[in-house]
Amino acid sequence: MSDTFSHTTSEAWVTRSLQLAHSEAAQHVFTHLFTEQALAQARAADAARQAGGPLGALHGLPITLKDNYDLAGHTTMAGTVVCEGEPPAARDAVAVTRLRQAGAVIVGKTNMSEFAFSGVGINPHYGTPRNPCDAVVARVPGGSSSGAAVSVALGLAVAGLGSDTGGSIRIPAALCGLVGFKSTQSRIPLQGVMELSRTLDTVGAITRTVRDSLVVEGVLSQQPLLAEAADLRGVRFAVPQTLFLDELDPAVAQAFARALTRISAAGAQVVELPLSALSDIAARSQPGGFSPVEGFAAHHARLARAPERIDPRVAARMALGEGVSAVDYLSLHNRRHEWISHIEAELQGFDAMLSPTVALVAPELAPLVADDTAFFKANRLLLRNPSAINYLDGCAFSLPCQADGELPVGLMVSSLRGHDARLAAIALALEPLLAAA
């Protein structure tokens, strides 16, 4: 899976990961490290390799888990403190079981936005991992899979298991210069993942390369996408002109324009498409939207038991779901299904959509900690583009497209539900193109 692994043993790599986990750069990345267990797993992996037996796709490779995944014997905290004292999980999440069966070494559980309910990645309980992209200015890592992304960016793991409800894999991947893949929701079971929104939650991982993401996704889904890089000549891309290009940072706009030029030069057809229905999502999500409504349903007992122990910024958003009637909730689903059908019809004849993953480069951390207005503006702009793909029940990659010396920028290539294999082939073709000098 990784060239790095061919030059070392699993024990050496895991030992290095655990040492780096205690470095200043990795501060606030982990909520729990499995030091002894990880080293024992790594030694067993090396012994199995020497014995010449069959090896799993992730054999001996260090992986991190977002803190909202169940691990048998551990209370699932999901970036909060209000879960302290709750019973430990009786069994591993399905995704974790599949990682173990493939030979992965679980290094630790990673920090996240509380209850996965923010695209920024700030956590007032456990601290906020610093984005490694800037050694001078402290910047947010993106959320909600903040620690997952930083663990990969720092080389502590080949993949960070995350979850994506409105962009929580693709946002930190974009801000940290990594690859994030949100597959069609139904491909990977959600059992054992603490719920935010059962309608939108998606299991996935953050990696350094598209190929690595496909290996991990194949393990998690048990339906490997056996894709090879597509010939971009004749591939037809839609570039939506509604919503996705609003309020872009100049650096994001520049990187996106450069990426479109390269993609066109490679022979692909790039078509500007109004896709005006994208502007309807907010109205169709009234009165609360799936995440507040379903999040409140999942966590209302915790909110009632100890509201003072929950980040007010998270509690305020969840409270939007309180009092939403069954009639309104079912209407949310009906309006979404109608919208998906409309978008699918408009995108007939296109292989995929292209857009910036998020409208911003990684914002500075301090102003967002200090000011609610700044925080919620950044949160809105970070979630806006990727969340539309969750609402579509589509699939999407975030691919790095910045030039050397620039802050990371993600290009989102996305498609309709069930088109994961074709999208993977396109992402494999785009990746080296975007990395070209």
Side-chain angles (χ1 to χ4, degrees):
M1 176 176 170
S2 173
D3 291 339
T4 305
F5 191 69
S6 64
H7 303 296
T8 187
T9 64
S10 179
E11 182 180 4
W13 196 353
V14 170
T15 298
R16 175 182 174 276
S17 294
L18 291 167
Q19 290 171 343
L20 287 175
H22 294 286
S23 68
E24 184 177 354
Q27 190 174 20
H28 308 308
V29 168
F30 290 96
T31 58
H32 195 98
L33 282 169
F34 302 110
T35 303
E36 296 304 319
Q37 301 97 313
L39 287 171
Q41 290 170 10
R43 293 180 189 120
D46 288 334
R49 186 177 294 103
Q50 290 176 352
L55 305 179
L58 301 175
H59 186 86
L61 299 177
I63 304 288
T64 60
L65 305 179
K66 190 175 179 178
D67 200 24
N68 58 345
Y69 283 84
D70 284 353
L71 281 182
H74 297 266
T75 297
T76 305
M77 298 299 291
T80 188
V81 293
V82 77
C83 293
E84 288 176 348
E86 293 184 6
R91 60 186 63 84
D92 287 349
V94 170
V96 176
T97 297
R98 292 179 176 181
L99 290 174
R100 291 193 195 279
Q101 290 170 343
V105 176
I106 308 300
V107 175
K109 297 194 83 174
T110 53
N111 200 356
M112 57 183 284
S113 304
E114 188 171 11
F115 292 128
F117 209 2
S118 163
V120 178
I122 290 173
N123 188 301
H125 310 297
Y126 299 98
T128 300
R130 178 170 170 164
N131 192 321
C133 75
D134 193 330
V136 178
V137 178
R139 297 181 181 274
V140 301
S144 63
S145 308
S146 53
V150 178
S151 73
V152 175
L154 291 176
L156 304 177
V158 297
L161 186 66
S163 62
D164 193 309
T165 304
S168 287
I169 287 171
R170 288 159 291 154
I171 295 167
L175 297 190
C176 293
L178 301 167
V179 172
F181 180 29
K182 178 242 179 288
S183 62
T184 301
Q185 187 197 43
S186 61
R187 284 184 56 81
I188 306 172
L190 286 163
Q191 287 95 327
V193 187
M194 187 178 285
E195 181 180 342
L196 174 59
S197 169
R198 64 183 60 187
T199 298
L200 305 174
D201 291 344
T202 309
V203 170
I206 298 168
T207 61
R208 286 191 172 274
T209 70
V210 174
R211 185 63 69 187
D212 283 358
S213 76
L214 296 180
V215 172
V216 177
E217 203 276 345
V219 167
L220 295 172
S221 67
Q222 297 190 345
Q223 309 171 65
L225 298 168
L226 303 176
E228 296 301 329
D231 184 348
L232 290 176
R233 291 172 296 181
V235 172
R236 200 160 182 256
F237 291 108
V239 180
Q241 301 300 292
T242 302
L243 193 71
F244 282 176
L245 304 181
D246 295 346
E247 299 180 74
L248 298 185
D249 267 3
V252 173
Q254 179 182 18
F256 182 60
R258 183 173 58 225
L260 293 185
T261 298
R262 290 180 178 174
I263 293 167
S264 295
Q269 186 178 2
V270 177
V271 180
E272 293 183 354
L273 188 70
L275 210 60
S276 57
L278 287 171
S279 63
D280 296 343
I281 296 175
R284 288 175 179 267
S285 298
Q286 295 299 320
F290 289 108
S291 293
V293 173
E294 294 174 342
F296 182 82
H299 301 294
H300 66 92
R302 297 181 176 107
L303 287 162
R305 181 175 74 232
E308 74 285 352
R309 303 197 75 194
I310 297 173
D311 181 359
R313 291 170 172 174
V314 171
R317 294 182 70 205
M318 277 194 177
L320 297 173
E322 185 175 9
V324 174
S325 69
V327 172
D328 287 338
Y329 177 65
L330 293 176
S331 180
L332 276 175
H333 282 283
N334 291 338
R335 293 195 299 268
R336 181 190 185 220
H337 293 319
E338 292 169 356
W339 184 87
I340 290 174
S341 296
H342 180 74
I343 294 292
E344 288 179 339
E346 284 210 48
L347 289 175
Q348 288 303 308
F350 289 98
D351 294 280
M353 292 185 289
L354 297 172
S355 67
T357 306
V358 296
L360 308 173
V361 294
E364 292 186 27
L365 173 60
L368 303 192
V369 172
D371 183 71
D372 281 357
T373 300
F375 172 87
F376 283 112
K377 179 180 180 182
N379 192 54
R380 173 179 63 82
L381 290 173
L382 290 170
L383 288 165
R384 185 195 65 204
N385 291 6
S387 65
I389 307 305
N390 296 77
Y391 194 75
L392 182 62
D393 190 22
C395 49
F397 284 87
S398 180
L399 306 174
C401 67
Q402 73 279 354
D404 288 344
E406 296 177 349
L407 290 172
V409 174
L411 174 83
M412 186 166 67
V413 55
S414 54
S415 192
L416 305 175
R417 55 189 171 187
H419 291 206
D420 303 72
R422 177 59 172 161
L423 188 71
I426 291 170
L428 286 167
L430 291 177
E431 184 176 35
L433 193 67
L434 299 174

